[in-house]
Amino acid sequence: MRFSEFALTTLKEVPADAEIVSHKLMLRAGLIRRLASGLFTWMPLGLRVLRKVEDVVREEMDRAGALELLMPAVQPAELWQESGRWDKYGPLLLRMQDRHNRDFCFGPTHEEVITDIARRELRSYKQLPVNYYQIQTKFRDEIRPRFGIMRAREFLMKDAYSFDADEDGMRRSYERMHAAYTAIFERLGLRFRIVDADSGEIGGSRSQEFHVLADSGEDAIAYCDDDDYASNIETAATAPPGGARPAPAQELEAFPTPGVKTIQQLCELLDITPDQTVKTLIVEGDDVPVALVLRGDHELNAVKAQKLDGVASPLTMAGDAAIREAIGAGAGSLGPVGMPLRVYIDHAVTALADFTCGANEDDLHYKGVNFGRDLDEPETVDIRNVVAGDPTPGGQGTLSIARGIEVGHIFQLGSKYSDSMGATVQDENGKNRSMQMGCYGIGISRIVGAAIEQNHDDDGIIWPAPLAPFDVVLVPINMHRSDDVREAAESLYAELSDAGLDVALDDRDARPGVKFADAELIGIPHRVVIGDRGLARGEFEYRHRRDSESRDLKREEVLELLTESAVSS
Amino acid sequence: MRFSEFALTTLKEVPADAEIVSHKLMLRAGLIRRLASGLFTWMPLGLRVLRKVEDVVREEMDRAGALELLMPAVQPAELWQESGRWDKYGPLLLRMQDRHNRDFCFGPTHEEVITDIARRELRSYKQLPVNYYQIQTKFRDEIRPRFGIMRAREFLMKDAYSFDADEDGMRRSYERMHAAYTAIFERLGLRFRIVDADSGEIGGSRSQEFHVLADSGEDAIAYCDDDDYASNIETAATAPPGGARPAPAQELEAFPTPGVKTIQQLCELLDITPDQTVKTLIVEGDDVPVALVLRGDHELNAVKAQKLDGVASPLTMAGDAAIREAIGAGAGSLGPVGMPLRVYIDHAVTALADFTCGANEDDLHYKGVNFGRDLDEPETVDIRNVVAGDPTPGGQGTLSIARGIEVGHIFQLGSKYSDSMGATVQDENGKNRSMQMGCYGIGISRIVGAAIEQNHDDDGIIWPAPLAPFDVVLVPINMHRSDDVREAAESLYAELSDAGLDVALDDRDARPGVKFADAELIGIPHRVVIGDRGLARGEFEYRHRRDSESRDLKREEVLELLTESAVSS
């Protein structure tokens, strides 16, 4: 591609509404342009990257025996009513009516449509397993779209759905997708982790997420390199602490704490650390509020807590008025001693002796609190986020925490949809059985953003080779004045293109500095500068995007280096 | 692809709601499945065909220097309000509101979005020409979706938009697309014609349509092989007849015609032919109705008539009451003599002498009517459809009429959108000028249906080679019992696949008759039957889908024939 014919428009300024680096760089490099909130056009440069992701995903899905089809974006409400999600899905679902006032939605996912297809097409266990997939445009009406294409409203997904005659088959289909996804992210050249995850609104029994590791990731991942354990922090389990609790050393004592509203203030007042305190959070319950008790330095885990008996889902903090009505004190002075509500105590709290907590009376706390004396020995639950240093569930090591961007998610759905929508096949004995389903998503467009979050520097994007819009950019110096430069550039352009490389020839009538800056911003892996001085020595100036310095190479060396990199990518 | 893993489901019955052969065959062969009215899933078999169309279109667009991008399906109302089409487009536009009650539509076309992109990205004539295209899902909320994917609501389009600094540039861009489209339809192996066309709601000055020829086509095409003329009948022009009109031979005579309402009844009563009569149609006008006069055997052309001064657009026939009020007679007895309304007379009528027409009084007609005597010499206009045998506008030959399916449409838009949306560039003198636009559509999904309308027989589809989902199907007989057959089939499958062919191996545990019927229904060009008897002779049974008989070929002959066909396609 000649840049003179590519309508490239890069921006020097950082767009005001872009919060994260991938969003900024995608706008600056001209990969995307904003149409409206959460709606983006993929410009020619960005689409080249998107298609590279798409191609790798398609190849690995095909290799795994999945069958590509293409379902409509617009879906009739009837199917969503059948599955029960028309009412449940809420305002994320973009709803519309056609000219005959029939209800439709712009599909955010396709479980209903594919289950409808499967119940018509698949009648016998002999036809199974089948795994249908598509690469298709979806819409989620996010309340606050942001981060560019990372949390856009319209986006490109690969979604796959497997159908099996029994649970063993479903698990085999799931493992095939696990392997295919691993191959995909490896081929894309991204550092990633596979983590255990919550199934959320999709439902089903088991699920795992694929995260691209990046400091800016929205998700926290708990992992242990010693025993392969990795989990989204949402679902990473904690175990009851081992070992014996210290014996009580202090008497229970109530003491005034005027103005103390936070654990930090409490610690400063008493010169103690947060892990010697417990905090009590009041959340809405099915009928009445519920108290959740954690060690002062720990964070509540909403996904775990909202599964507790009597706790409302999704988890909602109780309001000040409700707290005061139920307990007679405000949120700054609560504690488990004498708590009139149902109390859930986190595992970690059980290891504490002589701890400090609120006294359920405004401006009053207790210190020297001990289980078995001041309150009953607790039955504890797991309601906190793991932290670095926690033991792994297997006990072989300790956890580290990393940040990740979710780019893939695989689910064992079981018969959730096939039951509600009557998707059955005849088994060996002629009996109708619900098919066992799995579903498997990859955020095609999100991968582009995640790759940039993981691979960039101050000058711009640094594409992993398999994602780069061009493999190499040729930058001729004064091409419009020097025939030697023009001929050398054109000849290299032709030869590298013939070798199967995606070559950009920056033949724009622009200053070299502009061309260099654009090449770095766009993140093309290899750069070859062609100038009169180098040509006089028979040399080109080569630099890899990750190198700090360029080096001079003979023409054959350039060809060898680039064609080898093409083979290996 | 092994059919045992392809989840193929063909139907014997013709689906009840399918009216045309492509719709029937696409459902029967399992290319598509209906989700809701005008919404279809492309099943794996159908998607293979769709992708082949897509690939050819993409390659030729790229070769023509167009730049692929991808715009959102969902578009904000503001842009459509700016162009003035939000109100004009009517109920074909699927409108919706997001969670913040902002108006959006599911784009049926992208002139507004691309013009918005162009006015931001393109600032100088030096950046031009640019031609952006996309292959993308669109939605038109058809009042009566039918003919399967031929008139679906959700469909796949290739739409391109060119931007030039002046009209000459626009015409060059247009000609490039004309050439690219010609290459596309030639490569797809379809018989097609390029015809002059009306620009319709898109607007602009010049447009041409690409029609796949098929007897079932919705459009009529007038063409002449002698002078390359071809036009949609909507816009095919007629000329005033040459030569002198015969002198009057009869006196004007009014005669009673009780019960005569049609030209046919009139002709039977008088024993004359329709071309000796004229008919008078009353259409709604801007203020009052207007009379349109045609030869009795000719058809009114609505596209031409609605452009006449004083005639309402879109053309609407006047109601009985309005006719009676304006003329004092009913629709069966109207004529130009003494017509109290504004009258437009078609060119062809001017050649008539001694003709017959209504007398503007119920149950009364005139015969022996002559211009210059019974009514003024007319100024005539072109308001009829051409018919076979009409002279071409160039006069070099006579017209034939064919049926076609519109699969492509190219337009010279000029500055219609760039004016209303302020899409300007600086010209050489630093002045801002509206860009000159062209737009170019191809109905990717419709091509699949059109190809079937053109290529089928009683047994099923006959794919042109470039569109076939598989190049060849191997049908082993009793593969599950004969090791020889299995080995021969597997070996041929491997060798043909390695040669780059799309090979289907029908390894299903089904009767040969079922496999043969499916192969014909699906329309795979080449079929190779592998059986024990043939193998004993060292032969395979080969048949092309268009052949009536199969013939025996040696293995090398099969390989040679198929790999040659792969090279040539």
Side-chain angles (χ1 to χ4, degrees):
Chain A
M1 177 61 69
R2 293 164 194 277
F3 274 179
S4 62
E5 298 170 357
F6 196 55
L8 193 68
T9 47
T10 55
L11 307 174
K12 282 212 180 100
E13 295 78 34
V14 177
D17 64 334
E19 299 170 51
I20 59 171
V21 70
S22 62
H23 189 188
K24 290 174 190 172
L25 289 175
M26 290 185 78
L27 288 170
R28 285 191 53 210
L31 298 179
I32 55 169
R33 288 293 179 252
R34 181 183 182 277
L35 173 63
S37 174
L39 301 178
F40 295 91
T41 293
W42 288 83
M43 298 299 288
L45 191 67
L47 188 60
R48 292 178 78 96
V49 181
L50 193 70
R51 293 274 186 251
K52 296 212 171 185
V53 178
E54 212 179 302
D55 288 348
V56 168
V57 171
R58 180 172 286 119
E59 280 175 30
E60 293 300 329
M61 291 300 293
D62 289 345
R63 196 192 307 271
L67 301 173
E68 188 177 3
L69 45 59
L70 182 61
M71 293 178 262
V74 174
Q75 305 180 8
E78 287 77 9
L79 288 180
W80 286 71
Q81 286 153 354
E82 232 184 297
S83 75
R85 289 206 294 183
W86 184 253
D87 295 323
K88 271 191 212 157
Y89 214 87
L92 275 178
L93 191 63
L94 180 65
R95 294 153 210 257
M96 59 195 87
Q97 288 195 319
D98 72 0
R99 66 195 295 157
H100 304 297
N101 299 318
R102 285 182 297 236
D103 287 315
F104 290 86
C105 65
F106 196 128
T109 179
H110 278 71
E111 280 82 8
E112 282 80 0
V113 177
I114 199 70
T115 306
D116 180 59
I117 290 170
R119 70 183 169 184
R120 294 163 193 266
E121 299 293 305
L122 307 173
R123 302 297 179 83
S124 160
Y125 73 98
K126 290 183 191 166
Q127 294 172 274
L128 305 182
V130 170
N131 188 346
Y132 290 120
Y133 81 98
Q134 63 175 352
I135 294 177
Q136 194 248 16
T137 301
K138 305 216 180 298
F139 200 99
R140 282 167 60 101
D141 197 1
E142 298 280 353
I143 191 162
R144 192 182 156 224
R146 56 195 165 140
F147 304 154
I149 49 88
M150 297 265 277
R151 193 171 286 278
R153 296 200 286 179
E154 194 175 317
F155 55 97
L156 196 65
M157 277 279 290
K158 188 286 298 172
D159 45 329
Y161 307 88
S162 66
F163 295 87
D164 278 277
D166 54 33
E167 291 185 18
D168 280 349
M170 172 183 74
R171 280 188 282 270
R172 280 192 299 273
S173 293
Y174 180 91
E175 288 308 325
R176 261 181 123 167
M177 284 298 100
H178 188 284
Y181 275 40
T182 303
I184 286 166
F185 293 109
E186 280 173 358
R187 274 188 62 186
L188 290 174
L190 297 170
R191 298 189 304 284
F192 69 99
R193 268 189 194 277
I194 307 167
V195 306
D196 293 332
D198 186 55
S199 298
E201 75 202 353
I202 298 279
S205 51
R206 180 166 193 214
S207 84
Q208 286 171 293
E209 293 167 349
F210 288 70
H211 283 262
V212 166
L213 299 176
D215 294 339
S216 58
E218 276 195 280
D219 287 288
I221 295 165
Y223 68 96
C224 175
D225 287 328
D226 296 335
D227 71 351
D228 273 351
Y229 175 81
S231 173
N232 193 313
I233 205 164
E234 282 184 349
T235 47
T238 67
R245 181 168 60 213
Q250 302 173 10
E251 290 304 308
L252 178 69
E253 181 187 339
F255 61 102
T257 50
V260 168
K261 296 289 176 199
T262 66
I263 294 289
Q264 195 189 342
Q265 291 166 335
L266 188 65
C267 289
E268 284 168 8
L269 183 72
L270 296 189
D271 193 22
I272 56 175
T273 53
D275 59 355
Q276 296 171 289
T277 72
V278 314
K279 63 184 172 190
T280 302
L281 305 169
I282 310 300
V283 298
E284 288 183 8
D286 294 335
D287 305 310
V288 293
V290 176
L292 307 176
V293 176
L294 296 134
R295 210 170 75 185
D297 59 331
H298 283 156
E299 273 179 14
L300 177 66
N301 181 303
V303 170
K304 295 175 184 174
Q306 71 197 6
K307 289 178 180 160
L308 294 173
D309 190 36
V311 170
S313 177
L315 194 78
T316 312
M317 302 312 289
D320 286 343
I323 294 174
R324 188 161 294 281
E325 187 192 1
I327 306 170
S333 301
L334 305 179
V337 181
M339 170 60 66
L341 300 176
R342 179 164 189 177
V343 178
Y344 284 107
I345 294 178
D346 182 69
H347 290 323
V349 175
T350 193
L352 299 181
D354 301 324
F355 62 85
T356 300
C357 64
N360 297 325
E361 191 179 324
D362 283 340
D363 300 333
L364 196 70
H365 280 74
Y366 288 125
K367 54 187 175 182
V369 185
N370 283 281
F371 288 110
R373 184 188 76 185
D374 310 318
L375 69 177
D376 288 343
E377 280 295 340
E379 279 188 45
T380 59
V381 292
D382 175 11
I383 52 172
R384 71 171 172 97
N385 285 339
V386 296
V387 295
D390 273 341
T392 59
Q396 273 79 27
T398 56
L399 294 179
S400 302
I401 305 287
R403 306 296 302 178
I405 299 164
E406 184 196 333
V407 289
H409 203 158
I410 57 179
F411 298 85
Q412 292 180 13
L413 287 177
S415 60
K416 177 179 155 81
Y417 294 90
S418 50
D419 279 347
S420 63
M421 295 181 64
T424 61
V425 287
Q426 285 205 333
D427 68 10
E428 296 91 329
N429 306 316
K431 277 196 185 162
N432 283 328
R433 292 176 56 166
S434 287
M435 285 185 274
Q436 294 289 318
M437 292 174 57
C439 81
Y440 317 95
I442 286 184
I444 302 277
S445 42
R446 177 179 272 205
I447 285 174
V448 178
I452 296 174
E453 291 294 332
Q454 189 179 77
N455 300 281
H456 65 271
D457 63 15
D458 290 345
D459 297 321
I461 303 165
I462 307 175
W463 290 114
L467 289 175
F470 297 100
D471 299 315
V472 53
V473 57
L474 309 183
V475 184
I477 308 291
N478 284 328
M479 179 181 182
H480 299 271
R481 273 179 251 157
S482 162
D483 286 344
D484 286 352
V485 170
R486 173 184 298 275
E487 278 162 28
E490 291 285 355
S491 136
L492 198 58
Y493 178 58
E495 190 158 357
L496 290 170
S497 299
D498 287 347
L501 287 144
D502 275 335
V503 190
L505 173 59
D506 195 347
D507 58 347
R508 293 177 296 171
D509 188 8
R511 284 179 293 110
V514 169
K515 296 183 181 187
F516 294 158
D518 279 351
E520 304 221 319
L521 176 59
I522 294 170
I524 301 174
H526 305 279
R527 188 187 79 185
V528 180
V529 180
I530 302 141
D532 273 320
R533 268 185 297 175
L535 287 179
R537 295 192 308 273
E539 284 176 340
F540 299 89
E541 188 188 305
Y542 168 83
R543 201 181 126 185
H544 190 276
R545 179 65 181 82
R546 288 196 188 273
D547 294 343
S548 53
E549 299 287 333
S550 58
R551 54 196 162 117
D552 290 334
L553 293 181
K554 302 279 181 200
R555 190 171 194 281
E556 313 79 67
E557 292 172 319
V558 170
L559 288 171
E560 194 182 352
L561 187 151
L562 291 176
T563 49
E564 269 177 16
S565 82
V567 169
S568 66
S569 76
Chain B
M1 178 60 70
R2 292 165 195 277
F3 275 181
S4 63
E5 298 170 358
F6 196 54
L8 193 69
T9 47
T10 55
L11 307 174
K12 283 213 179 99
E13 295 78 33
V14 177
D17 64 334
E19 298 170 50
I20 59 171
V21 70
S22 63
H23 189 187
K24 289 174 189 170
L25 288 174
M26 289 185 78
L27 288 170
R28 285 191 53 211
L31 299 178
I32 55 170
R33 288 292 179 253
R34 180 183 183 277
L35 173 63
S37 173
L39 301 178
F40 294 91
T41 293
W42 288 82
M43 298 299 288
L45 191 66
L47 188 61
R48 292 178 77 96
V49 181
L50 193 69
R51 292 275 186 249
K52 297 212 169 183
V53 178
E54 213 180 301
D55 289 347
V56 168
V57 170
R58 180 172 286 119
E59 281 175 32
E60 294 299 329
M61 291 301 293
D62 289 345
R63 195 192 307 268
L67 301 173
E68 187 176 4
L69 45 60
L70 183 61
M71 294 178 262
V74 174
Q75 306 180 9
E78 287 77 9
L79 288 180
W80 286 71
Q81 285 153 354
E82 233 185 296
S83 75
R85 288 207 294 183
W86 183 253
D87 295 324
K88 271 192 211 155
Y89 214 88
L92 275 178
L93 191 63
L94 181 65
R95 294 152 208 258
M96 58 195 87
Q97 288 196 320
D98 73 359
R99 66 194 296 156
H100 304 297
N101 298 319
R102 286 182 297 238
D103 287 315
F104 290 85
C105 66
F106 196 128
T109 179
H110 278 70
E111 279 83 8
E112 281 80 2
V113 177
I114 198 71
T115 306
D116 180 59
I117 290 169
R119 68 182 170 185
R120 295 162 192 266
E121 299 293 304
L122 307 174
R123 302 297 178 85
S124 159
Y125 74 97
K126 291 182 190 165
Q127 293 172 275
L128 304 182
V130 170
N131 188 346
Y132 290 120
Y133 81 98
Q134 63 176 352
I135 294 177
Q136 194 248 15
T137 300
K138 307 217 179 299
F139 199 99
R140 284 167 58 101
D141 197 2
E142 299 279 354
I143 190 162
R144 193 183 156 225
R146 58 198 162 137
F147 304 154
I149 48 88
M150 297 266 275
R151 192 170 287 277
R153 295 200 286 179
E154 193 175 316
F155 55 97
L156 196 65
M157 277 281 289
K158 188 285 299 170
D159 45 329
Y161 307 88
S162 66
F163 295 87
D164 277 278
D166 55 32
E167 291 187 17
D168 280 350
M170 172 182 74
R171 280 188 283 270
R172 281 192 298 273
S173 293
Y174 181 90
E175 289 307 326
R176 260 180 125 166
M177 284 298 101
H178 187 285
Y181 275 40
T182 303
I184 287 166
F185 292 109
E186 280 175 357
R187 274 188 62 186
L188 291 174
L190 297 170
R191 297 189 304 283
F192 69 99
R193 268 190 192 276
I194 308 166
V195 306
D196 294 331
D198 187 55
S199 297
E201 76 203 353
I202 298 278
S205 51
R206 181 168 192 210
S207 85
Q208 287 171 292
E209 292 167 350
F210 288 71
H211 283 262
V212 167
L213 299 175
D215 294 339
S216 58
E218 276 195 278
D219 287 288
I221 294 165
Y223 68 95
C224 175
D225 287 328
D226 296 335
D227 70 351
D228 273 351
Y229 175 82
S231 173
N232 193 313
I233 205 165
E234 283 183 350
T235 48
T238 67
R245 180 169 60 214
Q250 301 176 9
E251 291 303 310
L252 178 70
E253 183 188 338
F255 62 101
T257 49
V260 168
K261 297 288 175 199
T262 67
I263 294 289
Q264 195 190 344
Q265 290 167 334
L266 187 64
C267 290
E268 283 168 8
L269 182 71
L270 297 189
D271 194 21
I272 56 175
T273 54
D275 59 356
Q276 297 171 287
T277 72
V278 314
K279 62 183 171 190
T280 302
L281 305 168
I282 311 299
V283 298
E284 289 184 7
D286 293 335
D287 304 311
V288 291
V290 175
L292 306 175
V293 177
L294 296 134
R295 212 170 74 185
D297 58 329
H298 284 155
E299 272 180 14
L300 177 66
N301 180 304
V303 169
K304 295 174 184 176
Q306 71 197 7
K307 289 179 180 161
L308 293 173
D309 189 38
V311 171
S313 177
L315 194 80
T316 312
M317 302 312 290
D320 285 344
I323 294 174
R324 188 161 294 281
E325 187 191 0
I327 305 172
S333 300
L334 305 179
V337 182
M339 169 61 67
L341 299 176
R342 179 165 188 176
V343 177
Y344 283 106
I345 294 180
D346 182 69
H347 290 323
V349 174
T350 192
L352 299 181
D354 301 325
F355 62 83
T356 300
C357 64
N360 297 325
E361 190 180 323
D362 283 341
D363 299 334
L364 194 71
H365 279 73
Y366 288 126
K367 56 186 173 183
V369 185
N370 283 281
F371 288 111
R373 185 188 76 183
D374 309 320
L375 70 176
D376 289 342
E377 279 296 338
E379 280 188 46
T380 58
V381 292
D382 175 11
I383 52 171
R384 71 170 170 96
N385 285 337
V386 295
V387 294
D390 273 340
T392 59
Q396 273 79 27
T398 56
L399 294 178
S400 301
I401 305 288
R403 307 296 303 180
I405 300 165
E406 185 196 332
V407 288
H409 203 158
I410 57 178
F411 298 85
Q412 292 180 12
L413 287 177
S415 59
K416 177 180 154 80
Y417 294 91
S418 49
D419 280 346
S420 63
M421 295 181 63
T424 61
V425 287
Q426 285 205 334
D427 66 12
E428 294 91 329
N429 306 315
K431 278 196 184 160
N432 282 329
R433 292 174 56 167
S434 287
M435 285 186 273
Q436 294 289 316
M437 293 173 57
C439 83
Y440 318 95
I442 287 184
I444 303 276
S445 41
R446 178 179 271 207
I447 285 174
V448 179
I452 296 173
E453 290 293 332
Q454 190 180 78
N455 300 281
H456 65 270
D457 63 14
D458 290 345
D459 297 322
I461 303 164
I462 307 175
W463 289 113
L467 290 174
F470 298 100
D471 299 315
V472 53
V473 56
L474 309 183
V475 184
I477 307 291
N478 285 327
M479 180 180 181
H480 300 270
R481 272 179 253 155
S482 163
D483 286 344
D484 287 351
V485 169
R486 172 182 299 276
E487 278 162 28
E490 291 285 356
S491 137
L492 199 57
Y493 179 58
E495 189 157 356
L496 290 170
S497 299
D498 287 347
L501 287 144
D502 276 335
V503 190
L505 173 60
D506 195 346
D507 59 346
R508 293 177 296 171
D509 188 8
R511 284 178 294 111
V514 170
K515 297 183 180 186
F516 295 156
D518 279 350
E520 305 221 317
L521 175 60
I522 293 170
I524 301 173
H526 305 278
R527 188 187 80 187
V528 179
V529 180
I530 302 140
D532 272 320
R533 268 185 297 174
L535 286 178
R537 294 193 307 272
E539 285 175 340
F540 299 90
E541 187 188 305
Y542 168 82
R543 202 183 123 182
H544 190 276
R545 179 65 181 82
R546 289 196 187 274
D547 295 342
S548 54
E549 299 288 332
S550 58
R551 54 198 162 117
D552 290 335
L553 292 180
K554 301 281 181 201
R555 191 170 192 281
E556 313 81 65
E557 292 172 320
V558 169
L559 288 171
E560 193 181 352
L561 187 151
L562 291 176
T563 48
E564 270 178 14
S565 81
V567 169
S568 66
S569 76

